[in-house]
Amino acid sequence: MKGSVKAHISLLLAASMWGLMSPVGKAAMEAGITGLTLANMRMIGAAVCFWTTSFFVKQEKVNPHDLLMLFFASLLGIVCNQGCFTFGLSLTSPVDASIMTTTMPIVTMILAALFLKEPVTPKKVIGIFLGSIGALTLILSNRGGDTEGGSVWGDALCMAAQISFACYLTIFKKLIAHYHVITLMKWMFTYAAICFIPFSYRDFSVMDWASFPVEVWLEVGYVILFGTYVAYILMLVGQKSLRPTVVSMYNYMQPVVGSCVAVLAGMATFGWVKIVAALLIFTGVYVVTQSKSRAQMLAETNSNVEGNE
């Protein structure tokens, strides 16, 4: 029970940090940092942070086969996810990017049913439906009259990022549960940085780094330290003990954070629409957490069989 509470709190904090990623990252890109450069700065910066942290924790040996699997995990969970989302965000609006994130729980539920044989229960469907309606309501209530800035290619890349991360949550569930968080992240972000450097090297080389004000470096610092390093640690803590569909449901917390920031910054008002939307999201997350897993259903079936004998 304690582990489950810890996992939910970790995911809530991670979602909150990611909720600030779209406006903060967009601000940095509007100042002149390209999407490819920011994505690679996240990967390189996080790799350095995780390797530095690894020297202060117990060293863990990784099986050579698992090192190979972590490479593929990094492609789905970091390279494709962060690369597509950050580059897509540079082409589209933060609102459209946020809307694309609401698709992840649906994709994760489908993949979990295909790969992990997790049942698609009525509670899961209802929970995801409630959460998606709440998230979309919150996002659109903050949109106001601004309908510009969207891009089909940008939206498609943000969608690809969600599908990629959903695949990562589902396919590598067992591998993630086997190793310590720092061990996993130091290898995954190292692989990701190496893979992404060829795509961003040109942008890196022509960037006028000295022209950026302090505010931009603070935004980049937030993206690396909180939006990546701390958030990924918290996400993995939750992923170790919770089902992929439950983990993905916390994606709906991101627009809640975005709405709170907009209200505090005076860019939006806190009305009944936001209250209802937030309640729908929290209800949806709760309903999904109450749905039965495949293991629970098998245990109940076996118990009934034994009881009838």
Side-chain angles (χ1 to χ4, degrees):
M1 183 65 182
K2 289 183 178 179
S4 177
V5 172
K6 178 182 177 182
H8 284 292
I9 292 174
S10 297
L11 288 174
L12 181 61
L13 291 173
S16 298
M17 292 176 187
W18 281 327
L20 291 174
M21 279 288 295
S22 291
V24 173
K26 189 69 173 180
M29 286 186 277
E30 287 176 348
I33 294 180
T34 66
L36 288 173
T37 301
L38 183 60
N40 209 17
M41 288 174 76
R42 288 185 72 186
M43 297 174 195
I44 295 173
V48 171
C49 289
F50 282 115
W51 273 99
T52 302
T53 306
S54 71
F55 294 120
F56 298 95
V57 299
K58 184 180 179 180
Q59 298 299 306
E60 189 175 26
K61 185 177 180 180
V62 183
N63 184 290
H65 176 266
D66 290 342
L67 278 176
L68 177 62
M69 296 306 294
L70 285 175
F71 170 75
F72 291 111
S74 72
L75 290 181
L76 286 175
I78 301 175
V79 177
C80 292
N81 174 250
Q82 289 191 13
C84 288
F85 185 79
T86 308
F87 190 49
L89 182 60
S90 70
L91 299 176
T92 192
S93 67
V95 170
D96 282 14
S98 297
I99 290 174
M100 292 300 106
T101 65
T102 64
T103 61
M104 190 198 292
I106 300 170
V107 177
T108 304
M109 180 179 66
I110 295 170
L111 292 175
L114 293 174
F115 290 100
L116 301 179
K117 307 303 179 185
E118 283 290 338
V120 180
T121 63
K123 281 187 177 180
K124 281 184 183 176
V125 175
I126 292 170
I128 290 175
F129 176 75
L130 290 175
S132 62
I133 294 299
L136 288 170
T137 301
L138 267 180
I139 293 165
L140 296 175
S141 70
N142 287 332
R143 187 168 194 159
D146 183 15
T147 57
E148 298 181 357
S151 160
V152 174
W153 282 111
D155 292 350
L157 284 169
C158 289
M159 172 71 83
Q162 306 312 309
I163 295 173
S164 172
F165 200 73
C167 290
Y168 160 73
L169 287 176
T170 305
I171 297 172
F172 297 99
K173 166 69 176 173
K174 293 182 179 178
L175 178 64
I176 296 305
H178 192 65
Y179 293 101
H180 189 273
V181 171
I182 302 301
T183 302
L184 292 166
M185 290 292 94
K186 74 177 184 182
W187 285 111
M188 287 178 63
F189 273 100
T190 298
Y191 287 140
I194 293 171
C195 291
F196 211 77
I197 285 174
F199 298 99
S200 61
Y201 173 76
R202 184 177 177 279
D203 284 16
F204 255 107
S205 61
V206 299
M207 195 73 64
D208 185 11
W209 301 101
S211 67
F212 296 125
V214 176
E215 306 88 77
V216 174
W217 289 111
L218 290 174
E219 290 161 355
V220 172
Y222 174 84
V223 169
I224 294 173
L225 289 176
F226 295 99
T228 310
Y229 173 66
V230 177
Y232 267 81
I233 290 177
L234 293 170
M235 185 273 296
L236 269 178
V237 171
Q239 189 183 357
K240 279 179 175 291
S241 57
L242 298 176
R243 286 168 284 151
T245 309
V246 176
V247 175
S248 66
M249 280 297 292
Y250 278 89
N251 230 39
Y252 290 149
M253 294 305 301
Q254 295 184 32
V256 175
V257 175
S259 293
C260 291
V261 171
V263 171
L264 292 174
M267 296 183 291
T269 57
F270 192 74
W272 66 269
V273 173
K274 288 184 172 59
I275 294 174
V276 172
L279 287 174
L280 284 172
I281 291 172
F282 284 116
T283 303
V285 173
Y286 176 76
V287 170
V288 170
T289 61
Q290 297 304 303
S291 64
K292 294 178 181 179
S293 66
R294 178 170 176 261
Q296 288 173 322
M297 286 190 166
L298 287 174
E300 285 185 2
T301 301
N302 293 334
S303 177
N304 290 334
V305 169
E306 291 175 0
N308 292 328
E309 289 180 351

